[in-house]
Amino acid sequence: MSINSLEYLEMADAANKWDQQDETASSAKVSASKRQQAAARRRIEMLRDIRECGLTIEEAKELGLLH
């Protein structure tokens, strides 16, 4: 089989499929990491707010602010 017998459209379709699979795999990893970072930021902000209010961790748990 020579290079001239390959069709450009077939090659382009195969390349697009590979690119899409790579992008979805990497975006899933990135989005999971970003979700974890966002959750950590929310927890930090909540703890800062609790500290600013003058509550202890135990009091915050009793009030249902922390789990």
Side-chain angles (χ1 to χ4, degrees):
M1 175 184 248
S2 72
I3 192 77
N4 294 331
S5 64
L6 295 175
E7 290 188 28
Y8 175 76
L9 292 177
E10 288 180 29
M11 291 189 303
D13 288 340
N16 286 336
K17 288 179 187 175
W18 291 334
D19 290 341
Q20 289 173 356
Q21 289 173 352
D22 292 342
E23 288 176 11
T24 56
S26 64
S27 67
K29 290 179 187 176
V30 169
S31 62
S33 174
K34 287 189 183 231
R35 277 181 284 183
Q36 288 177 343
Q37 290 174 353
R41 279 194 300 274
R42 285 192 297 272
R43 285 192 301 269
I44 291 168
E45 287 296 321
M46 185 179 5
L47 290 172
R48 284 183 185 156
D49 291 343
I50 289 169
R51 184 178 60 193
E52 287 176 3
C53 292
L55 295 174
T56 64
I57 299 294
E58 292 80 21
E59 292 171 335
K61 286 180 181 178
E62 288 176 6
L63 292 172
L65 299 174
L66 293 176
H67 302 280

